[in-house]
Amino acid sequence: INESVNENLLKKTNQGKTGWGYALQNGTRTIEDYEEDGIKGVKLTCTVASTGWQYGSFYIDTPTLSRLKSATNYIISFDIKSNIGERSIGVALKRGDSTNTIANEVKANIKGNETWEHFSVKLKTIADLSTITIGNQVVYITGMSKVGYYAIRNIKLEEGEQESAYSKSPEDLAN
């Protein structure tokens, strides 16, 4: 992790369930605030597994979306704690209905052994963002279909090639 801090483009991070979603085609789920070590994250719990699609999401506001650049590298990172065992988690930037993709999915494995793990992937935005409708895109997280929980905190979207430490967005720091 780069010791200098790049701007977090996501607003209202570490505010519990604010901005978070968890959707399943069928099955049962809950979304709740989850605080540990003085950090207020979110806990997404699946109590009945979906037999179809499922995803977790974090909302990206339209002003932030309009700042994203075509064919540019971004890093999405967060801390995750889960009880589901080893699993591949995927992250993309797109609408919840899986349309208007800004950056295609990239996957990485987590251990899922009830300890905090750092998750980080590099995404590249599509070649021409003017070809899609901007609005209602989210950080789209897949791989959450098993029964169990996923606690997430310190989510960050930053431009560049190298990840920097978690920080709040400038807008959150100003408020």
Side-chain angles (χ1 to χ4, degrees), residues 82-88 110-114 117 146 150:
S82 178
N83 66 347
I84 47 78
E86 190 165 337
R87 185 143 195 89
S88 179
I110 63 168
K111 293 177 186 150
N113 61 1
E114 297 195 73
E117 303 174 57
K146 278 187 159 183
Y150 309 85

Side-chain angles (χ1 to χ4, degrees), residues 66-140:
S66 64
R67 291 178 55 199
L68 298 179
K69 302 171 191 166
S70 299
T72 302
N73 288 320
Y74 290 87
I75 297 170
I76 185 78
S77 61
F78 49 83
D79 297 328
I80 186 167
K81 179 178 176 179
S82 178
N83 66 347
I84 47 78
E86 190 165 337
R87 185 143 195 89
S88 179
I89 299 289
V91 176
L93 302 179
K94 59 183 168 181
R95 284 193 176 168
D97 65 2
S98 206
T99 65
N100 290 289
T101 298
I102 293 173
N104 289 314
E105 184 176 61
V106 176
K107 293 183 178 188
N109 289 334
I110 63 168
K111 293 177 186 150
N113 61 1
E114 297 195 73
T115 60
W116 286 107
E117 303 174 57
H118 190 68
F119 179 94
S120 176
V121 292
K122 188 184 334 180
L123 304 171
K124 187 167 188 171
T125 53
I126 62 171
D128 186 1
L129 288 173
S130 69
T131 62
I132 65 165
T133 303
I134 294 292
N136 298 315
Q137 276 87 358
V138 297
V139 176
Y140 190 96

Side-chain angles (χ1 to χ4, degrees), residues 3-174:
E3 289 186 26
S4 66
V5 177
N6 295 331
E7 177 182 346
N8 188 350
L9 299 172
L10 299 175
K11 297 175 185 132
K12 298 185 179 178
T13 61
N14 286 354
Q15 295 185 15
K17 63 184 179 181
T18 300
W20 284 95
Y22 189 24
L24 290 81
Q25 183 174 359
N26 50 48
T28 309
R29 53 89 178 137
T30 60
I31 305 171
E32 58 191 315
D33 293 346
Y34 184 80
E35 187 167 340
E36 189 175 320
D37 304 323
I39 302 170
K40 192 174 181 182
V42 65
K43 186 175 186 180
L44 310 172
T45 304
C46 178
T47 52
V48 177
S50 177
T51 58
W53 55 262
Q54 54 63 46
Y55 66 93
S57 63
F58 188 80
Y59 178 72
I60 308 172
D61 67 3
T62 301
T64 298
L65 290 167
S66 64
R67 291 178 55 199
L68 298 179
K69 302 171 191 166
S70 299
T72 302
N73 288 320
Y74 290 87
I75 297 170
I76 185 78
S77 61
F78 49 83
D79 297 328
I80 186 167
K81 179 178 176 179
S82 178
N83 66 347
I84 47 78
E86 190 165 337
R87 185 143 195 89
S88 179
I89 299 289
V91 176
L93 302 179
K94 59 183 168 181
R95 284 193 176 168
D97 65 2
S98 206
T99 65
N100 290 289
T101 298
I102 293 173
N104 289 314
E105 184 176 61
V106 176
K107 293 183 178 188
N109 289 334
I110 63 168
K111 293 177 186 150
N113 61 1
E114 297 195 73
T115 60
W116 286 107
E117 303 174 57
H118 190 68
F119 179 94
S120 176
V121 292
K122 188 184 334 180
L123 304 171
K124 187 167 188 171
T125 53
I126 62 171
D128 186 1
L129 288 173
S130 69
T131 62
I132 65 165
T133 303
I134 294 292
N136 298 315
Q137 276 87 358
V138 297
V139 176
Y140 190 96
I141 306 170
T142 62
M144 301 179 152
S145 58
K146 278 187 159 183
V147 170
Y149 76 87
Y150 309 85
I152 300 173
R153 64 184 187 189
N154 296 334
I155 189 166
K156 183 175 185 179
L157 175 65
E158 61 187 307
E159 183 180 343
E161 297 279 334
Q162 186 174 7
E163 177 185 0
S164 66
Y166 169 77
S167 63
K168 292 183 176 188
S169 71
E171 295 83 356
D172 288 347
L173 290 171

